[in-house]
Structures are given as C-alpha cells and as structure tokens.
C-alpha cells in the first residue's frame, strides 16, 4: 500500500462523509434498534457506511471492508487489506445530543494497523495516524504518553459496571473509581480512544466492543504508546466482540491485576 496517498484519500472521504452527517441534522432521521432497545441504528448510519463502501470498492477493488452495519464483506480472517469502519460511533449520542459521536476508520494489512482515523464530526476535529509516523490531532503531532499513577489518572468507564452484574467484579471496579482522580463516560469508544491518545484521559475500559469500534483508535493510540488488550491481557480482538482496555502503559497492568476482573 502507498500509505501517504491513501492517507490523503481517506481524509477527503471522511470530511465529505462528515459534511453529509451534519446536513442530516435538518432532515428526519429514521431510528431502529438492533440487539436491544438501547442498541440504535439510523438511516444515516446506513447511508454513510454505504457511501464509504461504494467509494472504497470503486477505488480500491482488491480491499475488503468490515463495517458495523453489515454492508461490507464477511470478514473471517485479516489477510490482505481490510478497512474497519464505524460510520457513526456513538449513535445514541447522535440521536439524542447531535454531538459526542465520531466516524471511526482503521486500515489493516495482514492484521497490522497501518492507518487510523477518528473524526469528531460536530467539532471538525480529526485524529489520525500513519503507522510509524506518530499520531496527530488536526495538524498537531501528539506527544508520547507520560507515565502516571492510578491515583493521578482519569479513567473512562461506564457506570453500569459499578453495579452488581454477571460479568465484572463490580466491587473491584468501585475501588478503582474510589482510587483514581476522576472518571468519565463519553458514549463513544472512538472518542474515548482519541482522548486517551491526546492525554485527556489515562485509560478506557469497556465490557463489549467490536473491531470497528477500536480499529482506528488502536492505530492512533498505539502511536503514542498506549497499551490495548482484552481483560485477559490478550491482544485486542479484531475479528469479534470482546472486552477491551486501553491505557497508559504505566497503569495498564495494575488496572488488570487489581481492579478489572472478570467473574
């Protein structure tokens, strides 16, 4: 792949998609549910994914596409070039708030992230990375993450995992919240990874994320030194839904050993 040519192409594509999403604010949005009543999808999610797929298949016909809304390819392996796309990450925020959502896109070659993009549509903020060349927030190069401690950290975690549940040791999660400097929950995995990469938070924890949720952000956060695994400490899953923790490397292992425990 010629990464720099692709980088320019993708940035143009993302900005056009963002323009289409912003224009949708003045039109009627059709809302449906998927796995449950809180798992939302809109006609705009579908239209934007189809827009990307049409362009990618036209201009990069040998590449495959792993998209959230199912218009891409059936991805069972990561050989070759795979584009991993979430057209609107944070659909609930898109529906209810018209902000705090993002386009998330990662381009992988034989399982290795080569290009990553997170576009905060409303704020016109683009986070991106080309493998081996650092990560950027708009035109500003992001600095490598600086060591921190749990007590000085801001951690992004959904409050529902602090209540009794079947999956996570909520008592340990409560101790985490009591120990850290602060917690946040933005409702978009892509934005939370962008905020980790830019040093606004120090860790992000989620019980259930799909490859398209994390693909773009993993490339970006990886370029500044973040560590990303599932709750077992294994490499982040890029083929199916799994647990996920992304963190400053100085606190990643401590969080897994002391605070984030599967039942």
């Amino acid at each position: 792949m010629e990464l720099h040519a692709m980088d320019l192409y993708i940035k143009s594509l993302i900005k056009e998609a963002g323009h289409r999403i912003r224009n949708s604010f003045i039109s009627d949005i059709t809302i449906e549910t998927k796995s449950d009543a809180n798992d939302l999808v809109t006609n705009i999610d579908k239209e934007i994914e189809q827009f990307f797929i049409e362009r990618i298949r036209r201009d990069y016909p040998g590449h495959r596409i792993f998209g959230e809304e199912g218009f891409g390819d059936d991805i069972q392996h990561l050989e070759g070039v795979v584009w991993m796309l979430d057209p609107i990450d944070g659909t609930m925020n898109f529906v209810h708030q018209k902000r705090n959502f993002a386009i998330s896109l990662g381009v992988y070659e034989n399982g290795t992230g080569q290009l990553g993009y997170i576009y905060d549509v409303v704020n016109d903020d683009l986070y991106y990375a080309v493998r081996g060349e650092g990560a950027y927030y708009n035109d500003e190069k992001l600095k490598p993450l600086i060591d921190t401690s749990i007590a000085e950290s801001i951690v992004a975690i959904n409050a529902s995992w602090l209540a009794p549940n079947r999956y996570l040791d909520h008592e340990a999660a409560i101790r985490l919240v009591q120990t850290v400097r602060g917690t946040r929950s933005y409702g978009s995995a892509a934005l939370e990874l962008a905020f980790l990469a830019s040093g606004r938070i120090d860790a992000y924890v989620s019980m259930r994320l799909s490859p398209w949720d994390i693909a773009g952000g993993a490339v970006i956060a990886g370029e500044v030194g973040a560590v990303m695994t599932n709750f077992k400490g294994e490499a982040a899953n890029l083929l199916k839904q799994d647990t996920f923790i992304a963190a400053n490397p100085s606190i990643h292992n401590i969080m897994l050993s002391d605070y984030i425990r599967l039942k």
Side-chain angles (χ1 to χ4, degrees):
M1 292 192 297
E2 211 302 295
L3 294 181
H4 294 100
M6 285 187 68
D7 175 56
L8 293 174
Y9 171 87
I10 290 170
K11 287 173 181 173
S12 175
L13 202 62
I14 284 174
K15 288 300 183 84
E16 184 175 346
H19 179 70
R20 291 178 178 225
I21 293 172
R22 287 189 294 270
N23 282 347
S24 76
F25 290 169
I26 60 174
S27 63
D28 291 332
I29 297 175
T30 303
I31 305 168
E32 302 173 25
T33 60
K34 294 192 285 187
S35 62
D36 59 53
N38 296 321
D39 186 8
L40 306 181
V41 62
T42 72
N43 58 309
I44 309 302
D45 293 77
K46 296 177 181 179
E47 289 170 14
I48 296 300
E49 180 162 308
Q50 289 170 320
F51 161 75
F52 272 98
I53 289 173
E54 178 183 339
R55 294 290 185 88
I56 296 166
R57 284 181 172 160
R58 183 191 72 188
D59 298 324
Y60 293 94
H63 296 182
R64 294 181 298 146
I65 306 151
F66 201 5
E68 178 176 17
E69 308 312 334
F71 297 107
D73 300 290
D74 180 17
I75 303 297
Q76 300 296 325
H77 63 82
L78 296 177
E79 295 175 11
V81 179
V82 180
W83 300 53
M84 301 189 191
L85 169 69
D86 192 339
I88 298 179
D89 184 70
T91 299
M92 187 180 294
N93 292 345
F94 170 69
V95 169
H96 287 273
Q97 301 175 339
K98 297 293 187 289
R99 64 191 68 244
N100 298 322
F101 64 90
I103 297 171
S104 176
L105 176 64
V107 180
Y108 283 67
E109 185 173 29
N110 298 323
T112 299
Q114 302 293 335
L115 300 163
Y117 305 86
I118 296 168
Y119 183 47
D120 183 339
V121 174
V122 173
N123 291 315
D124 191 28
D125 283 335
L126 179 62
Y127 303 80
Y128 62 93
V130 176
R131 183 171 181 263
E133 298 185 11
Y136 289 80
Y137 165 56
N138 295 324
D139 294 323
E140 177 185 350
K141 188 170 185 178
L142 297 173
K143 297 177 181 179
L145 299 180
I146 299 171
D147 285 356
T148 187
S149 66
I150 292 291
E152 296 173 312
S153 294
I154 295 178
V155 174
I157 186 170
N158 190 311
S160 63
W161 303 117
L162 307 181
N165 64 85
R166 293 181 296 166
Y167 308 104
L168 189 69
D169 179 353
H170 70 283
E171 296 288 353
I174 289 172
R175 289 198 303 275
L176 173 67
V177 170
Q178 292 171 333
T179 303
V180 297
R181 178 164 285 171
T183 60
R184 301 290 185 270
S185 182
Y186 297 97
S188 163
L191 288 180
E192 302 196 72
L193 283 169
F195 296 159
L196 170 63
S198 54
R200 299 177 193 178
I201 62 174
D202 301 291
Y204 169 51
V205 178
S206 181
M207 280 296 300
R208 289 190 297 267
L209 288 181
S210 297
W212 46 77
D213 295 317
I214 63 175
V219 179
I220 299 167
E223 283 294 309
V224 296
V227 177
M228 290 153 286
T229 67
N230 64 14
F231 288 0
K232 297 178 181 178
E234 302 164 340
N237 199 319
L238 294 171
L239 284 174
K240 63 182 181 180
Q241 193 176 78
D242 199 358
T243 57
F244 183 72
I245 176 171
N248 185 301
S250 58
I251 62 171
H252 177 271
N253 289 343
I254 297 171
M255 289 185 64
L256 280 185
S257 63
D258 295 354
Y259 300 106
I260 305 298
R261 300 172 180 168
L262 289 170
K263 289 184 176 177

